[in-house]
Amino acid sequence: MNNKTIILTGDRPTGPLHLGHYVGSLRQRATLQHDYQQFILVADLQGLTDNGSTPQKIQNNIPEVLADYLAAGIDPSLTTICLQSALPALAELTALYMNIVTVARVERNPTVKNEIAQKGFARSLPVGFLVYPISQAADISAFKAEVVPVGDDQLPMIEQTNEIVHKMNSLLPAPVLSHCKALLSETSRLPGIDGNAKMSKSLGNTILLSASEETIHRAVSAMYTDPNHLKVSDPGQIDGNIVFTYLDAFHPDKIKVAEMKAHYQRGGLGDRACKNELEMCLQELIAPMRERRATYIQDKGMLMAMLKKGSEQAHEVTQQTLREVKQGLGLPVF
Ligand code: ATP
Ligand code: MG
């Protein structure tokens, strides 16, 4: 093991990855893997917390997410990609942490609260879903990760993780677990193509990293702009105009985007021209990923072998943390 700072991040295999993942986290991971010791967790157990009756969905999406990682530039020789359900230490740490977190605290988590409302669970809320932030705290702390590159929906999870780390360390003769911090990207929450606050697999408002040319074209054409910008000569609004939000997130030429914004605001720049500009940069971004991905997804054996190898490496690391926690708590370690 080297002394590089550790990163743990991950995704639920609930569907192929989309542009929100890319700008919120994936793009950073591809850069950070050169300077950090990075682990990426395919969070299948967390995926099951709201898909308990459809495990096939989770199983099918594991290779999809792996192909997306490779297509987005994650290099398995630099990043350890591993599977949550293959790491029993994570489940054991979750069981230990559940005793030091109150029901009131899990109910207060704003992201979980929002997701529960969105999914309309009411009394059929699965227990596992309510407590998934505790299992996420186990994931992060088992790797002793200090940096977690995520979208801003994950900030409450990081806060809760640090509370658990603090409480657990205080119960041990010497601290074992590391505190972590979120690393937000410039676009920490990409809205959906429908204008919803978050592009999300569960909301069906995504552009996938595997989207076809035609799908990208249709998605951009259907995007909301300023409803009061009726004639090209009308002054237009930038605020809440998804096309500009996306241009900010994806266009490589920031000066050009600033000029377009000024032009749109004073009038004379049409929605069609803005959408054409956006479509061009999305087509350019996605085309090479789509091509690489199409090759990787044909070799599921290679993808799963990569995941097995990464999981074996991660097993060592996470078992060691579990051993230290158990010893600290005075539990016999055989
Ligand atoms: P699900 O709807 O199943 O929860 P999701 O689209 O929210 O799926 P996750 O697997 O929960 O995706 O999230 C993985 C990572 O991607 C997290 O770090 C999350 O913050 C980030 N992320 C997901 N969607 C976005 C988005 N729209 N903008 C920025 N980051 C995002
Ligand atoms: Mg999510």
Side-chain angles (χ1 to χ4, degrees):
M1 277 292 153
N2 51 41
N3 291 324
K4 287 183 179 170
T5 303
I6 297 170
I7 291 182
L8 183 277
T9 169
D11 306 276
R12 293 154 36 98
T14 48
L17 300 183
H18 53 66
L19 286 177
H21 297 112
Y22 185 74
V23 281
S25 176
L26 217 43
R27 187 162 57 180
Q28 296 206 86
R29 300 181 204 172
T31 309
L32 295 166
Q33 66 185 342
H34 296 283
D35 298 315
Y36 292 79
Q37 189 186 358
Q38 180 164 258
F39 294 90
I40 297 184
L41 186 71
V42 178
D44 56 345
L45 294 179
Q46 193 185 117
L48 283 169
T49 60
D50 56 340
N51 292 286
S53 309
T54 49
Q56 194 65 38
K57 174 178 164 187
I58 302 302
Q59 189 193 331
N60 292 343
N61 279 305
I62 292 171
E64 300 292 327
V65 170
L66 295 174
D68 284 325
Y69 288 158
L70 298 185
I74 302 297
D75 176 348
S77 71
L78 298 173
T79 294
T80 307
I81 304 173
C82 52
L83 184 67
Q84 193 182 23
S85 66
L87 304 172
L90 304 182
E92 287 191 55
L93 285 171
T94 303
L96 292 170
Y97 295 175
M98 283 208 276
N99 306 319
I100 56 167
V101 182
T102 64
V103 172
R105 181 62 184 91
V106 283
E107 284 177 345
R108 208 166 64 232
N109 186 306
T111 298
V112 179
K113 244 185 183 167
N114 184 28
E115 289 173 340
I116 289 171
Q118 232 167 32
K119 292 171 199 284
F121 278 135
R123 292 294 295 162
S124 48
L125 171 66
V127 174
F129 192 84
L130 183 64
V131 301
Y132 87 70
I134 303 179
S135 116
Q136 203 169 317
D139 302 339
I140 297 169
S141 59
F143 287 90
K144 300 190 176 172
E146 291 178 70
V147 177
V148 191
V150 280
D152 71 1
D153 60 310
Q154 295 300 310
L155 291 175
M157 313 305 170
I158 305 293
E159 190 185 327
Q160 207 164 348
T161 298
N162 282 326
E163 283 172 27
I164 291 172
V165 163
H166 179 76
K167 173 86 192 187
M168 189 47 91
N169 276 341
S170 75
L171 297 172
L172 308 175
V176 166
L177 306 171
S178 306
H179 285 84
C180 61
K181 63 172 193 300
L183 192 67
L184 294 181
S185 75
E186 269 174 43
T187 311
S188 60
R189 181 176 304 215
L190 185 72
I193 55 171
D194 58 353
N196 189 300
K198 182 174 171 272
M199 178 178 283
S200 170
K201 290 178 230 134
S202 309
L203 298 176
N205 59 6
T206 63
I207 299 179
L208 299 179
L209 302 185
S210 50
S212 70
E213 205 175 324
E214 179 53 27
T215 307
I216 298 168
H217 174 72
R218 267 190 278 116
V220 174
S221 300
M223 272 180 190
Y224 288 95
T225 55
D226 171 5
N228 299 316
H229 185 240
L230 299 174
K231 293 201 295 285
V232 171
S233 54
D234 289 340
Q237 279 267 356
I238 300 296
D239 269 358
N241 189 323
I242 298 293
V243 172
F244 282 99
T245 312
Y246 276 55
L247 282 168
D248 275 334
F250 297 104
H251 203 295
D253 186 347
K254 303 291 165 218
I255 296 169
K256 175 152 194 189
V257 174
E259 281 167 8
M260 285 175 68
K261 282 182 181 170
H263 193 177
Y264 191 82
Q265 282 171 312
R266 64 175 186 267
L269 182 61
D271 286 327
R272 191 64 258 164
C274 300
K275 286 186 173 182
N276 285 345
E277 189 67 31
L278 174 61
E279 185 186 335
M280 208 164 58
C281 76
L282 292 185
Q283 296 286 13
E284 263 174 39
L285 173 72
I286 291 177
M289 286 198 269
R290 181 177 57 230
E291 277 163 35
R292 283 197 294 270
R293 190 189 191 284
T295 313
Y296 295 131
I297 199 67
Q298 278 171 19
D299 196 351
K300 294 201 173 122
M302 175 279 289
L303 293 171
M304 296 311 283
M306 170 184 84
L307 187 62
K308 180 167 184 274
K309 184 166 171 232
S311 300
E312 283 161 4
Q313 288 167 9
H315 184 72
E316 301 287 317
V317 178
T318 53
Q319 284 298 130
Q320 174 60 22
T321 305
L322 175 66
R323 232 179 343 259
E324 290 170 27
V325 169
K326 278 174 138 182
Q327 268 161 356
L329 290 173
L331 298 169
V333 177
F334 299 122

